[in-house]
Amino acid sequence: MFAASSHYADRETGLEHRHHPNESVLFRAVREAVRSAGLAKRVTTHTFRHSFATHLLEGGYDIRTVQELLGHEDVTTTMIYTHVLGRGGLGVKSPLDRMAGENGRAN
């Protein structure tokens, strides 16, 4: 998606490849997209990491799975993301809640 501008030739095959892009290429692309969209809120590449974690938790993934995907050593670091859900005790779903159909009755 953000290919490096420089190429190199593989010594064994002679095929041309691109090096991995420098982080700054992605940073600049995000900054330009935010500017073009006219967003007033600060958005960085790290914002996507926060959004990813939040959406996983909203989608019902357990905290340990999110911890592993984000590469956090300590689960308390991952638990920071739970505050944005703002569900409290009402956010807990029982197995019966999950089994309920659209009409509100268990299947």
Side-chain angles (χ1 to χ4, degrees):
M1 179 181 273
F2 298 100
S5 57
S6 60
H7 294 80
Y8 72 95
D10 185 304
R11 290 183 182 140
E12 293 180 20
T13 65
L15 295 174
E16 260 193 27
H17 300 279
R18 289 182 191 258
H19 285 284
H20 294 291
N22 189 299
E23 297 177 335
S24 63
V25 175
L26 178 59
F27 296 155
R28 280 193 301 272
V30 169
R31 187 173 53 238
E32 178 60 27
V34 169
R35 189 191 64 70
S36 295
L39 299 176
K41 190 170 182 170
R42 183 172 182 263
V43 178
T44 66
T45 54
H46 202 75
T47 306
F48 296 113
R49 181 177 171 87
H50 291 293
S51 296
F52 177 66
T54 302
H55 286 290
L56 287 173
L57 292 169
E58 285 175 336
Y61 286 86
D62 66 281
I63 194 81
R64 296 288 182 186
T65 299
V66 177
Q67 174 191 3
E68 185 176 326
L69 289 171
L70 294 179
H72 293 157
E73 285 187 31
D74 190 340
V75 73
T76 56
T77 306
T78 313
M79 290 175 68
I80 292 168
Y81 295 103
T82 60
H83 81 279
V84 296
L85 298 177
R87 293 180 183 164
L90 298 176
V92 176
K93 300 285 186 201
S94 76
L96 290 175
D97 291 332
R98 288 188 210 126
M99 291 172 43
E102 287 185 21
N103 60 9
R105 291 182 289 178
N107 294 331

